[in-house]
Amino acid sequence: MSSNDWDDYAEEWDTNDDVNRYSEKAFDALTTALSIDNLRILDFGCGTGLLSEKLAHQANFIVALDPSTKMIEVLRNKKIKNVDTIAEELTSELISKNHLLQQKFDLIVCSSALAFVPEYEKTLTLLTHLLKGSGYLVQWDWYKEEGEEGSGFSKQQVKDAFESAGLSKVAVTIPFSMQAGNNAMDVIMGIGYL
């Protein structure tokens, strides 16, 4: 989907119960795995900032990045004091020119975002360059079995991509599921350390 497609969802996004539950479960899985107290965090593919809102209570500072200007507009209107926003796609040019990306991050979170980027491994490598030494990158997306069709990632895909991007101590789990009609859809979580 293009950023313009996401713009169409922005106004009603925060009223979607499934979207809210997903962000709550992602936050719970994150804070069970890592302490986020006083960290400088990049929320990549932040949408309207549902995860950023939860992180802001404990984080020192958050940069929330999303290519959808309308999603970012919804987040800006929330006026969260320790969250700054960028409404652009992540590129090496953006990293070199945007002052918010000049200081490295303790933690980068990517909640249901990396399945939508055109080049997953290239994006992971760009994100890894934004991490401080001893920083963490955490990804949540739909889980799929190895070789299965459709969107999402297998455990091996996440592990291989994280390691290829230079991350170590990679842990890949299925921390929660979401109900979709009569089906449960599992969510994969990858954690990598620099």
Side-chain angles (χ1 to χ4, degrees):
M1 266 204 275
S2 74
S3 56
N4 289 339
D5 294 332
W6 287 110
D7 284 351
D8 296 340
Y9 295 102
E11 198 171 304
E12 303 297 322
W13 193 253
D14 287 5
T15 64
N16 184 313
D17 290 340
D18 289 335
V19 170
N20 279 285
R21 260 192 306 279
Y22 191 108
S23 69
E24 287 166 13
K25 290 182 178 205
F27 177 77
D28 290 345
L30 174 66
T31 54
T32 297
L34 302 172
S35 169
I36 61 167
D37 291 342
N38 299 311
L39 298 184
R40 178 177 164 78
I41 300 173
L42 173 63
D43 185 353
F44 173 80
C46 63
T48 60
L50 290 171
L51 184 57
S52 286
E53 284 182 85
K54 292 167 182 48
L55 297 168
H57 297 289
Q58 293 171 260
N60 179 37
F61 185 73
I62 298 169
V63 175
L65 183 147
D66 198 283
S68 167
T69 55
K70 290 195 176 173
M71 289 276 192
I72 288 292
E73 188 179 310
V74 171
L75 174 52
R76 284 181 182 145
N77 288 335
K78 294 176 182 179
K79 297 183 182 355
I80 307 167
K81 64 178 174 63
N82 59 338
V83 175
D84 269 350
T85 59
I86 301 172
E88 289 190 54
E89 291 198 26
L90 183 67
T91 62
S92 52
E93 293 77 29
L94 177 66
I95 292 169
S96 67
K97 73 176 184 176
N98 191 295
H99 73 282
L100 292 172
L101 300 175
Q102 300 308 306
Q103 187 180 341
K104 303 241 180 195
F105 295 91
D106 303 297
L107 172 65
I108 297 174
V109 294
C110 312
S111 179
S112 194
L114 288 170
F116 298 100
V117 299
E119 296 179 87
Y120 172 53
E121 292 181 6
K122 182 179 177 185
T123 303
L124 267 182
T125 301
L126 283 175
L127 289 168
T128 301
H129 289 337
L130 291 171
L131 276 177
K132 288 181 182 174
S134 72
Y136 286 91
L137 188 144
V138 181
Q139 169 188 356
W140 300 267
D141 273 296
W142 297 118
Y143 169 71
K144 68 177 183 181
E145 295 285 343
E146 195 67 41
E148 186 179 348
E149 293 296 315
S151 66
F153 298 94
S154 70
K155 287 183 176 181
Q156 196 62 50
Q157 279 179 296
V158 172
K159 185 177 187 306
D160 290 349
F162 273 44
E163 289 174 351
S164 176
L167 298 167
S168 62
K169 299 181 186 175
V170 177
V172 184
T173 61
I174 310 292
F176 63 91
S177 295
M178 296 293 293
Q179 203 61 34
N182 293 329
N183 298 323
M185 295 179 65
D186 292 331
V187 173
I188 193 167
M189 177 179 177
I191 300 178
Y193 176 81
L194 186 64

